[in-house]
Amino acid sequence: MVNLELYRVFYAVAKCGSLTKAAEELYISQPAVSQAIKQLEIQLGGQLFNRTHKGMELSETGGKQIFATVEKALKLFDEAENKYSELKDTATGIIRICASDTVSTHFLLPFIKKYHEKYPDVNLILQNCTSSETIELLKSKKGDIGFVNLPIDDSDINLMTAVMQLHDTFVASDKFSELMQGTVDLKRLQDYPLLMLELSTATRQAIVSFAHSQGIHLHPEIELASLELMTELAKSGIGIACIPREFVKHELEEGTLKEIKTSPSLPTRAVGLALPKNESMTFAVKEFIRMINDGGKN
């Protein structure tokens, strides 16, 4: 296949009618222009120009036959380059965001609102996913940005940064007030009705792993898929919920739930921002990530 740049030189010479003027327009030397024309003629197998004392004229059986097609093709390439340049500097298109409902509600909501106000032409698609589901969507290129519970050890995605700290704790209604005086031994909670997420979730696995390391076995009386439902059950007095403090901040402030402080306390976790591997980011995605990293200030 002929190098596209040879056609660009051909087009410039045809428009200018002169090797010298074409060289000036292309910002290359005249010998380079002359060599490019010769190379193109050799590759195409025919004479493209008639060299006259007035300059360079398109040959009847060569240059004139391909000029219109070359002109049209170069304009299409220029349009494609301009379009790509606009995409790199303009927030348009679609961003597919993968996150749990809880992360979306308690962390992403203000960023989504601010981003939509700033870039209304971007279509934001929120996909409700667990961490494992998010990772699979990123791997299959069906998600652009993912929020996952850390730690994650998967070389097939790009883990960018931790964006939110999570402090798992135990909360309950006043029905369990005897546990709210000072600090209680974590092992003591084995004897109480616990509300926890399903075992398949990263949150539950992290808590179970830590408890086992302390020789403690926390067996929930009720397992749930929703932190919101767990919160409501805890408020009704059905059991003690194990939940990140950040997700029940309102309930703790209004007093419908109270914290049970344990020794040892559960370790701090984090939510991380992840991206598909080896995938170039659009300007829209870069701007969303920048807004997250800036804390929504700009």
Side-chain angles (χ1 to χ4, degrees):
M1 180 178 289
V2 178
N3 189 321
L4 178 62
E5 292 306 311
L6 296 182
Y7 284 118
R8 291 193 184 278
V9 174
F10 163 80
Y11 183 64
V13 173
K15 285 197 309 173
C16 296
S18 163
L19 295 175
T20 301
K21 292 180 180 179
E24 293 174 354
E25 182 174 304
L26 296 170
Y27 297 100
I28 59 177
S29 67
Q30 181 177 324
V33 172
S34 180
Q35 182 61 36
I37 295 300
K38 289 179 181 178
Q39 187 177 345
L40 182 60
E41 289 178 330
I42 291 172
Q43 291 191 37
L44 294 180
Q47 184 177 337
L48 298 175
F49 291 96
N50 294 320
R51 287 121 175 116
T52 70
H53 66 282
K54 294 182 179 180
M56 303 287 283
E57 296 179 351
L58 290 171
S59 63
E60 290 292 337
T61 59
K64 286 186 178 181
Q65 299 301 313
I66 69 170
F67 178 80
T69 302
V70 170
E71 181 177 45
K72 182 178 180 181
L74 290 177
K75 286 182 178 179
L76 288 175
F77 275 115
D78 288 340
E79 287 176 8
E81 290 178 355
N82 291 336
K83 181 66 175 178
Y84 185 72
S85 179
E86 289 175 4
L87 288 175
K88 290 194 297 182
D89 299 316
T90 306
T92 59
I94 297 172
I95 300 180
R96 299 163 298 177
I97 303 171
C98 308
S100 68
D101 275 347
T102 307
V103 170
S104 296
T105 301
H106 295 277
F107 174 71
L108 284 177
L109 187 58
F111 294 106
I112 291 170
K113 182 177 183 294
K114 189 173 184 67
Y115 187 90
H116 180 65
E117 290 172 349
K118 188 172 183 179
Y119 300 112
D121 292 332
V122 178
N123 183 16
L124 298 175
I125 298 177
L126 299 179
Q127 304 180 92
N128 180 25
C129 313
T130 64
S131 290
S132 58
E133 290 169 342
T134 293
I135 291 171
E136 291 307 312
L137 287 173
L138 294 178
K139 287 181 179 180
S140 61
K141 314 301 183 186
K142 295 178 181 178
D144 301 304
I145 301 174
F147 294 87
V148 296
N149 286 309
L150 301 179
I152 292 292
D153 183 18
D154 195 318
S155 60
D156 291 329
I157 62 171
N158 281 337
L159 190 61
M160 299 293 288
T161 183
V163 296
M164 181 184 190
Q165 296 294 314
L166 297 177
H167 299 84
D168 291 311
T169 189
F170 296 91
V171 296
S173 69
D174 286 332
K175 179 178 178 179
F176 301 94
S177 59
E178 73 274 13
L179 297 173
M180 299 170 185
Q181 307 300 319
T183 301
V184 300
D185 193 323
L186 179 60
K187 186 177 293 187
R188 188 177 171 188
L189 296 186
Q190 294 178 134
D191 302 324
Y192 285 84
L194 296 179
L195 311 174
M196 301 181 75
L197 287 176
E198 296 172 336
L199 188 56
S200 60
T201 63
T203 299
R204 171 76 177 279
Q205 291 174 9
I207 294 168
V208 168
S209 177
F210 174 74
H212 283 178
S213 73
Q214 303 296 313
I216 300 171
H217 299 281
L218 300 176
H219 298 292
E221 191 164 295
I222 300 178
E223 295 186 3
L224 304 100
S226 166
L227 287 176
E228 286 71 22
L229 179 56
M230 185 192 302
T231 300
E232 292 305 312
L233 291 179
K235 286 165 64 176
S236 68
I238 289 178
I240 298 170
C242 184
I243 193 168
R245 187 182 299 121
E246 289 77 10
F247 297 159
V248 287
K249 183 179 179 181
H250 175 70
E251 288 78 8
L252 291 173
E253 289 176 349
E254 69 179 8
T256 53
L257 286 176
K258 293 181 182 178
E259 188 171 1
I260 299 172
K261 296 181 180 180
T262 63
S263 178
S265 58
L266 298 176
T268 301
R269 298 183 297 113
V271 172
L273 189 157
L275 302 171
K277 194 169 186 178
N278 301 323
E279 191 82 357
S280 59
M281 288 187 290
T282 65
F283 180 77
V285 170
K286 289 179 181 178
E287 279 296 284
F288 191 88
I289 294 173
R290 183 192 62 77
M291 189 174 288
I292 293 289
N293 290 334
D294 288 347
K297 297 177 182 177
N298 298 306

